[in-house]
Amino acid sequence: MATVTATIGPVMVGVAVAKSQNFSKLSMRNSKISSEMSFISSQLSGMTGIKISTPQFQKISPDAISAPLRPALQPVARRVCPFTGKKSNKANLVSHSNHRTIKRQFVNLQYKRIWWEAGKRYVKLRLSTKAIKTIEKNGLDAVAKKAGVDLRKK
């Protein structure tokens, strides 16, 4: 709805211009409204203190209709230790009234850079603290071989 208001001293004159809701005839509707607005403004041109307000229309382009491309989301690391297979546990928080709320008990996973002797480089792994102790005791190659983890991909 476009509104034209003209102020003549204390008297205010308002004229409303209706528009169609059909989006397929957007350009025809805009031209019709603009011609009506020019007609009304020419009729009111002799009056002083005229204020004409119209809503701003944006032309819809085919590019605006399609959503912008977003980069693929990074996969979230699972909270599972690759060497020991430890994963989160479901538990109940029990209140005084014996109301049970399910909570998760997560594994204590740490990012650790460990020297891999066979590859002559550091390998960054996300390990449980139990796995770190086992690697310190038995060595990285032995623990990785037992767990079936390929260190070349890390």
Side-chain angles (χ1 to χ4, degrees), residues 15-83:
V15 179
V17 181
K19 61 182 181 185
S20 169
Q21 294 296 323
N22 189 355
F23 291 108
S24 64
K25 298 178 182 178
L26 184 63
S27 62
M28 187 171 69
R29 182 176 64 207
N30 284 343
S31 64
K32 183 179 178 183
I33 289 174
S34 64
S35 65
E36 289 175 2
M37 293 298 291
S38 63
F39 170 74
I40 292 171
S41 64
S42 66
Q43 294 293 320
L44 299 174
S45 64
M47 300 179 193
T48 58
I50 297 175
K51 205 186 301 179
I52 300 175
S53 62
T54 59
Q56 297 297 322
F57 295 108
Q58 293 180 351
K59 293 184 178 179
I60 299 173
S61 65
D63 297 336
I65 295 172
S66 63
L69 293 175
R70 294 182 182 170
L73 294 174
Q74 292 286 335
V76 177
R78 292 181 58 211
R79 293 179 173 156
V80 177
C81 176
F83 288 91

Side-chain angles (χ1 to χ4, degrees), residues 1 10-11 22 27 31 36 41 69 72 75 86 101 112 123 131 137:
M1 176 80 57
V11 179
N22 189 355
S27 62
S31 64
E36 289 175 2
S41 64
L69 293 175
K86 287 182 174 245
T101 305
K112 185 80 173 161
V123 181
K137 182 179 177 184

